[in-house]
Amino acid sequence: MRIGLLTEGGYPYVSGDARLWCDRLVRGLEQHEFDIYALSRSEHQEDEGWVQLPPQVGRVITAPLWTAEDDGAVYGRRARRRFAESYGELAAALCEGAVGDTSGESSVTEADRFANALYGLAELARDEGGLVGALRSEVAVRALERACRAPGARQTARAARVPELLAVAGHLERALRPLSLGWYEDDGLGAVDLCHATSGGPAALPGLLAHHFCGVPLLVTEYGVRLRTHYLADTESPPAVRSLLTAFHGRLATETYRRAAVVTPGNTHARRWQERCGADREKLRTVYPGMDAARFTEVGESAECVDPDTLVWVGRVEPAKDLISLLHAFAEVRKEEPKTRLRVVGAPTGPEGAAYLGHCKALAAQLFPDEAEGLHAVGDNPVCFEEIGGPEVPTLAEAYASGAVTVLSSVVEGFPITLVEAMFCGRATVSTDVGAVVEVIGGTGLVVPPRNPKALAEACVTLLRDPERRERLGAAARARALELFTVEQNIAAFHSIYLEIVSHTPVRRVVLDDAGEPLPFAAPAEAHVPGRWTEHSTRVVARGGPGWAAGPPVRATPPCAAPEGATG
């Protein structure tokens, strides 16, 4: 079948989120054809180029989210009135109702109001040209102001002043840029059998429009819930801005889950967020991220441990990882087990991460003065900070292999990839109870409350003193990881979901024979697969959504006929 893969800030670019799992999915499903519709996040990302694409990728169409030029569309009086009405309805849906409340009649009404406004803007962009100029206009800001001042608006929205209104209008313009793209014709997303959005938010918007205009079924995969990401990221904006933007992302998430044929969270933690935003439980299928286990095979199948007195932490260095608590916990560990050492393996993320790493190094130097075994020996700190690729840890597998216990100390976590990697390596783990940690571990490691250095230290000491228990837990962890978190299980799950969705999707193309009668099964999904075909013998009339004229007839070409005289 032909899949329209919708990405934002990732595949097929060299850098970005979800790049690895998308590439593994496309390469693993070589029996299908993929069209990639990619939204980029920065000019730097575009300049870095693409990864090498497999032959099953038919085409790649890109558009930037980081910039948008006004296409010069000049709206007449009627078009301006349409824009003002639709944008005003969108703004009103953001100002009214309780954010995150998905129960009751009012919630359904607001969801419908938001959806009608969203598709109204999309239809305007289709009929009259891009929305960039209109979304940046004074009309948009005044419509937003009227909605905030209207009776029934939330108190936080009523408090918005001109600077806050301008900030919200600017964010909405950036978020709604996919509405102006020319991807929704019969030769674009209208020609695919299935849209697969690799995240919520802007990546899912083209899928919503393809479903609205052309009836294309939508599959949404979220390994990190976009609404949750917005909650965690937007901490410095004024309350009025946070309230309105949270309402927008919440309404968009609700509409995405409502229109999707299937939603695949990456874990139960993400699933709870989706259900809270109105996702139907019947549509949810948990599909764990697929990870490459091959590079950890040698370490995982070896019972040897380089140093039984070493704790290992691996990950991105940032405040959410709470290395401060880990260092204080290690100070308690050293009181019980003086020979223990701690290896922190990871690179900082951005300026904030670099500053945090410097703070952690200063704290380590303060808590653990350099120690020397004798009078003439050089002192050494029991905590070392390293990065993958250095002389001590040239590979990720060797980082996990260097210690007896792998530790995770985060206060915020989605799907803990580092824990899965440690499980592939057969290592016992001590983790904080955040995100999907308990679901991933499944009883094969010790779990303690976050921000509790004493509990973290006690769990580490327990495993350091019991090598037999470490070995049992490590073996169980590796078996669990190989059963649930490999690339193979991920690909098999999505292949099954693709077939399930297409099998339940109404036929969107009417195929007529020479006599003008409907010809069932004349244009199956596999007809998109390149191959040797016979002469054209049927014609396909595409049926678009409301307001779309059917394009020129598409000639259907059945598979090769058997040689004359052959029997089946």
Side-chain angles (χ1 to χ4, degrees):
M1 70 182 69
R2 189 175 180 184
I3 310 297
L5 193 67
L6 311 176
T7 68
E8 180 210 347
Y11 194 68
Y13 295 104
V14 171
S15 62
D17 301 336
R19 175 180 59 83
L20 288 177
W21 84 261
C22 286
D23 188 55
R24 291 165 181 165
L25 177 69
V26 172
R27 293 182 184 278
L29 294 175
E30 58 184 8
Q31 67 270 49
H32 300 306
E33 181 181 352
F34 286 85
D35 291 345
I36 300 174
Y37 291 80
L39 299 168
S40 63
R41 288 182 181 168
S42 67
E43 185 176 12
H44 175 70
Q45 184 181 51
E46 292 186 359
D47 292 341
E48 285 186 318
W50 301 346
V51 299
Q52 186 175 359
L53 299 173
Q56 54 264 38
V57 175
R59 60 178 175 176
V60 178
I61 302 176
T62 66
L65 276 181
W66 51 275
T67 184
E69 295 183 1
D70 191 344
D71 62 358
V74 179
Y75 288 174
R77 182 185 304 173
R78 185 176 180 180
R80 290 197 299 270
R81 185 168 61 250
R82 286 176 62 187
F83 172 78
E85 291 175 354
S86 295
Y87 194 88
E89 284 294 294
L90 183 79
L94 305 185
C95 294
E96 297 179 5
V99 179
D101 182 12
T102 58
S103 61
E105 236 176 84
S106 62
S107 157
V108 175
T109 301
E110 292 304 323
D112 289 338
R113 191 177 191 179
F114 176 86
N116 292 335
L118 184 69
Y119 298 131
L121 291 173
E123 290 167 3
L124 177 63
R126 175 200 62 188
D127 296 339
E128 304 290 342
L131 292 170
V132 176
L135 291 171
R136 292 174 176 173
S137 66
E138 184 179 353
V139 174
V141 179
R142 290 195 177 278
L144 187 61
E145 183 180 23
R146 283 194 298 272
C148 291
R149 305 290 184 264
R154 293 192 308 276
Q155 186 62 38
T156 50
R158 296 173 68 88
R161 297 295 178 259
V162 173
E164 286 86 358
L165 294 173
L166 291 173
V168 172
H171 181 93
L172 293 181
E173 185 273 320
R174 289 189 295 274
L176 295 175
R177 284 172 185 172
L179 301 185
S180 302
L181 299 175
W183 291 358
Y184 315 112
E185 302 288 346
D186 287 337
D187 60 347
L189 284 173
V192 303
D193 298 299
L194 168 69
C195 282
H196 184 177
T198 59
S199 71
L205 260 179
L208 285 176
L209 298 191
H211 176 75
H212 176 72
F213 289 132
C214 308
V216 179
L218 173 63
L219 166 65
V220 177
T221 296
E222 283 190 306
Y223 287 129
V225 179
R226 289 303 301 268
L227 181 59
R228 173 180 178 271
T229 302
H230 171 75
Y231 276 126
L232 295 175
D234 190 9
T235 57
E236 298 181 356
S237 299
V241 175
R242 288 203 306 270
S243 174
L244 291 170
L245 296 186
T246 297
F248 171 77
H249 288 287
R251 302 290 185 209
L252 180 58
T254 299
E255 177 63 14
T256 300
Y257 301 148
R258 184 167 66 160
R259 301 299 179 187
V262 174
V263 180
T264 56
N267 52 73
T268 303
H269 180 66
R271 185 180 183 125
R272 287 195 295 267
W273 273 85
Q274 292 166 343
E275 289 183 3
R276 187 67 181 84
C277 290
D280 185 353
R281 290 187 178 184
E282 297 298 322
K283 294 182 178 181
L284 296 176
R285 311 278 192 281
T286 300
V287 180
Y288 295 116
M291 299 175 60
D292 182 14
R295 56 180 173 164
F296 303 108
T297 300
E298 184 177 353
V299 175
E301 293 180 351
S302 174
E304 297 179 358
C305 179
V306 173
D307 189 345
D309 297 319
T310 298
L311 303 175
V312 176
W313 180 96
V314 179
R316 299 189 308 271
V317 178
E318 56 188 7
K321 303 302 181 181
D322 198 14
L323 291 176
I324 301 299
S325 289
L326 176 60
L327 291 173
H328 285 289
F330 184 62
E332 298 297 320
V333 172
R334 291 276 293 180
K335 295 177 182 178
E336 301 293 331
E337 297 292 330
K339 293 183 179 180
T340 308
R341 306 184 68 83
L342 172 64
R343 303 186 74 166
V344 177
V345 182
T349 55
E352 185 182 21
Y356 186 70
L357 176 60
H359 180 57
C360 292
K361 288 182 176 180
L363 178 61
Q366 179 182 355
L367 291 175
F368 313 103
D370 291 350
E371 301 174 354
E373 295 182 358
L375 296 176
H376 304 289
V378 178
D380 188 19
N381 195 293
V383 180
C384 61
F385 295 85
E386 303 166 286
E387 293 187 22
I388 300 297
E392 298 295 330
V393 281
T395 67
L396 190 59
E398 290 178 344
Y400 292 108
S402 64
V405 178
T406 299
V407 186
L408 182 142
S409 54
S410 303
V411 293
V412 176
E413 195 74 50
F415 186 85
I417 293 176
T418 57
L419 281 188
V420 177
E421 292 171 342
M423 292 167 72
F424 280 137
C425 292
R427 290 300 181 264
T429 58
V430 175
S431 316
T432 49
D433 186 6
V434 292
V437 166
V438 173
E439 181 181 0
V440 168
I441 292 299
T444 65
L446 304 186
V447 180
V448 300
R451 291 195 177 97
N452 192 330
K454 184 177 181 180
L456 190 65
E458 290 178 355
C460 290
V461 170
T462 297
L463 291 184
L464 288 170
R465 290 176 173 176
D466 194 342
E468 293 184 358
R469 187 180 185 187
R470 289 202 311 265
E471 186 175 349
R472 290 196 306 270
L473 289 175
R478 176 168 168 77
R480 178 176 175 82
L482 291 175
E483 179 184 0
L484 298 178
F485 307 125
T486 61
V487 175
E488 291 75 17
Q489 66 82 23
N490 181 270
I491 292 173
F494 278 116
H495 177 61
S496 175
I497 291 171
Y498 286 174
L499 295 179
E500 175 191 348
I501 292 175
V502 172
S503 68
H504 289 88
T505 300
V507 176
R508 295 184 293 109
R509 295 177 179 84
V510 178
V511 182
L512 306 178
D513 60 16
D514 294 335
E517 295 296 325
L519 188 62
F521 308 111
E526 61 268 21
H528 294 294
V529 179
R532 183 165 54 90
W533 308 100
T534 59
E535 69 277 3
H536 303 299
S537 60
T538 57
R539 59 193 178 91
V540 181
V541 180
R543 285 183 175 175
W548 284 86
V554 180
R555 307 296 295 183
T557 52
C560 298
E564 186 176 354
T567 58

